[in-house]
Amino acid sequence: MNNKVIQRLAQAIEQRKDIALVMITQTEGSSPRGVGSMMLVDRDGHLVEGTIGGGIAESKAALEAAECLKEGVSKTIRYEFEVESNDPQKLAMVCGGKIELFIRVFKQPDHLLIAGAGHIARALYQFARVLGYFITIIDDRPGMLTKEWFPDANELISGDIVTELKNYKTTEQSSIVICTYQHTLDEAALAAAILKPHRYIGMVGSRKKVALCFQHLEAQGVARETINEIHSPIGLNLGGETPEEIALAILAEIQAVKYGR
């Protein structure tokens, strides 16, 4: 069973999903399972693979693991088993004994997906790299989408921007920025990305361009509440007009959304 746990853990990391590994590290007296037993828990406290014995101990440990994922911390927890107990660290289980668990958090880096490889994209990439983002850049211009221009990007995807956006798998931790070289392409890229999982989505553009784009999205059947999620005109109002200043405002807004500010 532990082999399956390790396989699912590797799969979750490859797919950039937050996951917590819970392992029994010590037991005393009777316990549901022995040292080395493992389970995987997702951000919602759901069991993904494995078991540490089931019952109230497993349920409570899964909730603890979900909290650890939200806080981004690993820790050791201990439970005592008693027939009756009001102590949160003493669980009402007839087996008696004690158990120690280690919760190891595997929290994936924030993901930034940039549609476009121009000057704003390059400045945004440079700021995001400092903050440790996993950076994906999509563009259809091989001359712009180069390792010389984006040396430390995690993914450079060359091809039709709209098609590649449709095919790309994002998560609830993804931030999507649309900044291509053409207004009509921006609109098509936004339409391809808006219904994908994301934490943040924004598009570079003037108020007039943005209003027209939103009208077109609504005419295509995109719900108004979904359109309202789009940050556009993009970025916090920090002032400035250079690519670097615009990129700073965009990343500042992404960070504000991340922390609920």
Side-chain angles (χ1 to χ4, degrees), residues 73-85:
V73 296
S74 301
K75 70 177 181 180
T76 296
I77 58 175
R78 298 174 181 83
Y79 297 136
E80 294 182 34
F81 304 133
E82 294 184 359
V83 176
E84 294 183 6
S85 177

Side-chain angles (χ1 to χ4, degrees), residues 24 32-33 42 51 62 67-68 85 88 122 130 155 159 165 181 183 196 199 219 240 242 244:
I24 298 177
R33 294 202 72 197
D42 67 16
T51 178
E67 284 301 311
C68 286
S85 177
R122 185 164 190 261
V130 174
E155 295 177 325
L165 274 173
Y181 53 86
H183 292 344
K196 303 179 77 67
R199 181 168 64 202
T242 68
E244 291 77 15

Side-chain angles (χ1 to χ4, degrees), residues 83-98:
V83 176
E84 294 183 6
S85 177
N86 294 321
D87 187 331
Q89 299 308 117
K90 296 182 179 181
L91 306 182
M93 296 177 64
V94 297
C95 59
K98 300 177 182 179

Side-chain angles (χ1 to χ4, degrees), residues 15 24 29 141 164 182 192 232:
Q15 295 173 349
I24 298 177
R141 299 168 294 174
E164 295 297 342
Q182 193 176 72
S232 196

Side-chain angles (χ1 to χ4, degrees), residues 10-31:
Q11 184 182 56
I13 293 173
E14 183 178 351
Q15 295 173 349
R16 301 198 310 276
K17 293 181 179 178
D18 290 350
I19 200 85
L21 175 68
V22 183
M23 177 187 290
I24 298 177
T25 55
Q26 187 175 330
T27 64
E28 184 177 323
S30 181
S31 65

Side-chain angles (χ1 to χ4, degrees), residues 227-246:
I227 293 173
N228 289 341
E229 295 176 10
I230 302 167
H231 294 265
S232 196
I234 197 169
L236 297 184
N237 186 12
L238 303 181
E241 58 182 21
T242 68
E244 291 77 15
E245 289 169 331
I246 294 170

Side-chain angles (χ1 to χ4, degrees), residues 187 190 203-219 224 227 230 232-233:
E187 184 176 314
L190 182 62
M203 181 181 71
V204 174
S206 66
R207 293 187 183 278
K208 183 177 180 180
K209 167 192 164 182
V210 168
L212 185 60
C213 177
F214 286 4
Q215 288 177 17
H216 292 165
L217 287 176
E218 203 161 15
R224 171 48 62 176
I227 293 173
I230 302 167
S232 196

Side-chain angles (χ1 to χ4, degrees), residues 185-204:
L185 183 54
D186 278 343
E187 184 176 314
L190 182 62
I194 185 58
L195 298 180
K196 303 179 77 67
H198 63 268
R199 181 168 64 202
Y200 173 98
I201 185 165
M203 181 181 71
V204 174

